[in-house]
Amino acid sequence: QGLARGSILMKKSLFYTFECMLPIVLLIYLIANTTYLFLARPYTGINVDMTSGVVLEVNVPMDDSLAVKMGDVVKSVNQQSYEDFSNNLAAPYPWRGYKPGEKIPVIVIRDGVEQEKYHVMQFPTFSTLLPRLISQWFMPYLLYSAGLLGLLFLRPRNIQRTLFVLFNFLIALWFSASSLSGEHDFGSQYVLRAAFWLWLPITWHFHWIFPRQLKALPAWIWTAFYTVCILMAIAQVFQL
C-alpha cells in the first residue's frame, strides 16, 4: 500500500509539474516567435509565392528593366535554388543574410526566357511592416488564453479538461509556427508539421467524448491512433 500510495503521489507531482511548465514554455515560444517576426525577420520588400516562385509584389518597384518585377518567376537567389528551398525543409530562406540597400543577383523567368536580374533589399517601412501587423500573429495568444483559462478554472481534473487544454495549446502552437514556417525561420517548419500531427488525435479524442461519449472504444484503439500520429510527427521532422 505504501508503494502504491507513493506511486500515485509521484504521478500527481509529475502531472502538476507538467501543468505548471507547459503554459510557461508555450508562452515563451509564442513571444519568441512574435519578437522574431517583427524585429529579426528580414524586410525584403518582395513577396514571392513559395510554391510557384512567382513574384506577387515588389514593395518599391524600380524603373529598371534589370530589376525584378511582378510576374517574374524566381529560379534562384544569389545562386541558391528556389526549387530546392521549396522541396527541402532544411534549406535556408534564399533572401536571408542580406543588409538593407544590398543588391542581390536573381535569376528569373520573364516572358518565357531565363534572365539575370537583381533585387535591392529594403529598409523597414510602414508599408513593409503592415502585412505583418495584419497577419495571424495575435491569434495564437487567443487560443493560448482559452487553454490557460481551462487549465486554471475547469474542474474536475479529468480527461475532458486535459484534452480541451491540449486542443487549444496545440492550435496556438502551430498557428504561431505558421507565421514563420513559410521562410523556414526558427525551426517553425518542423514545429508546424509536428504540432499538427499531435493535434490530430487530440481533437478526435476530445470531440469523441465531449460533451458525451459517442461510443465506448477499446483503449488500444486510442493508443494505436496516438502512437501512429506521434510517429508521423517524428517522421515529418526528419522529412521521411
Side-chain angles (χ1 to χ4, degrees), residues 4-15:
R5 188 179 296 111
S7 177
I8 292 172
L9 289 175
M10 186 174 70
K11 288 181 179 178
K12 286 184 176 180
S13 177
L14 289 173
F15 191 71

Side-chain angles (χ1 to χ4, degrees), residues 1-238:
Q1 288 182 349
L3 287 174
R5 188 179 296 111
S7 177
I8 292 172
L9 289 175
M10 186 174 70
K11 288 181 179 178
K12 286 184 176 180
S13 177
L14 289 173
F15 191 71
Y16 180 73
T17 303
F18 175 75
E19 283 197 346
C20 290
M21 292 301 299
L22 181 62
I24 294 173
V25 172
L26 179 56
L27 182 60
I28 291 172
Y29 179 80
L30 299 185
I31 293 174
N33 269 13
T34 304
T35 303
Y36 185 92
L37 176 66
F38 287 105
L39 299 181
R41 193 179 200 178
Y43 289 84
T44 60
I46 187 170
N47 183 11
V48 182
D49 183 87
M50 296 300 174
T51 304
S52 64
V54 175
V55 177
L56 303 176
E57 179 184 12
V58 177
N59 193 255
V60 181
M62 300 185 67
D63 189 18
D64 185 352
S65 61
L66 294 178
V68 175
K69 297 182 178 180
M70 287 177 56
D72 289 346
V73 179
V74 177
K75 298 298 291 182
S76 68
V77 178
N78 198 17
Q79 300 183 343
Q80 183 178 346
S81 169
Y82 225 78
E83 183 179 3
D84 179 60
F85 169 74
S86 300
N87 297 329
N88 181 8
L89 291 179
Y93 186 52
W95 301 97
R96 187 185 294 127
Y98 303 102
K99 298 177 181 179
E102 188 173 351
K103 185 182 287 188
I104 309 165
V106 183
I107 301 297
V108 304
I109 295 178
R110 182 183 296 179
D111 301 325
V113 180
E114 192 171 286
Q115 306 176 39
E116 185 173 344
K117 306 296 181 183
Y118 72 87
H119 175 70
V120 177
M121 284 289 283
Q122 296 185 9
F123 291 87
T125 62
F126 180 73
S127 59
T128 57
L129 177 63
L130 183 60
R132 300 188 191 190
L133 287 173
I134 62 176
S135 68
Q136 77 271 23
W137 67 270
F138 64 93
M139 290 294 293
Y141 293 97
L142 302 180
L143 293 154
Y144 173 84
S145 299
L148 183 62
L149 289 172
L151 197 63
L152 294 175
F153 299 112
L154 279 183
R155 296 296 183 270
R157 289 187 169 92
N158 55 16
I159 185 64
Q160 288 91 340
R161 170 181 175 271
T162 301
L163 290 173
F164 173 81
V165 171
L166 292 176
F167 173 79
N168 283 282
F169 278 1
L170 281 169
I171 299 179
L173 180 62
W174 57 256
F175 230 132
S176 178
S178 71
S179 64
L180 301 179
S181 64
E183 298 183 3
H184 297 183
D185 286 328
F186 225 38
S188 55
Q189 67 273 30
Y190 304 112
V191 175
L192 170 65
R193 290 160 174 81
F196 184 81
W197 277 108
L198 297 177
W199 173 79
L200 188 61
I202 295 291
T203 188
W204 272 87
H205 196 178
F206 176 61
H207 287 91
W208 188 266
I209 65 176
F210 183 84
R212 61 182 62 86
Q213 186 166 257
L214 296 176
K215 183 181 179 180
L217 294 176
W220 68 265
I221 291 182
W222 291 116
T223 301
F225 191 16
Y226 277 94
T227 301
V228 168
C229 289
I230 290 171
L231 291 175
M232 290 297 290
I234 295 171
Q236 192 77 69
V237 170
F238 289 97

